[in-house]
Amino acid sequence: MENNFLIGIGVWNCIVFLIYGLDKWLAIQDKQRISEFTLIFLAFAFSGVGALVGMALWRHKTLKWKFRILIPIAFLWQVFAMGYRYALLS
């Protein structure tokens, strides 16, 4: 059960990482984009790691102040929530 949770979080973070890459590709192609609200929401939905890595690797949304502030907070939220969850289980 514990491994399934970690695998699920890992897969979810990979999906969000790819969504950030997709939005960058859509921006380059000048096509309809994924909203900033959705990208930030996904980061706070337990994928702060994927969003942060996606921002860094794809060099996407790195100049927008909302993302420079909120994505690291989402990352910290994910780390805190995971630590809290494991503290309760042990």
Side-chain angles (χ1 to χ4, degrees):
M1 176 93 122
E2 196 66 30
N3 287 336
N4 291 342
F5 178 76
L6 289 176
I7 291 169
I9 292 293
V11 169
W12 177 238
N13 275 276
C14 289
I15 290 169
V16 171
F17 166 78
L18 293 173
I19 289 172
Y20 271 71
L22 172 64
D23 190 53
K24 175 70 174 196
W25 182 80
L26 291 170
I28 292 169
Q29 300 298 316
D30 199 29
K31 298 191 180 214
Q32 185 172 356
R33 308 272 305 279
I34 300 166
S35 73
E36 289 185 353
F37 173 83
T38 300
L39 293 172
I40 291 170
F41 177 81
L42 290 173
F44 276 95
F46 285 97
S47 60
V49 174
L52 191 62
V53 173
M55 275 182 59
L57 186 69
W58 306 117
R59 288 180 282 155
H60 188 51
K61 301 286 188 184
T62 56
L63 299 178
K64 298 228 175 210
W65 70 268
K66 285 190 282 191
F67 285 84
R68 290 179 67 145
I69 293 169
L70 293 176
I71 299 305
I73 291 172
F75 170 78
L76 292 174
W77 155 248
Q78 182 177 354
V79 170
F80 172 77
M82 297 287 289
Y84 186 75
R85 181 182 189 280
Y86 285 107
L88 286 177
L89 292 177
S90 54

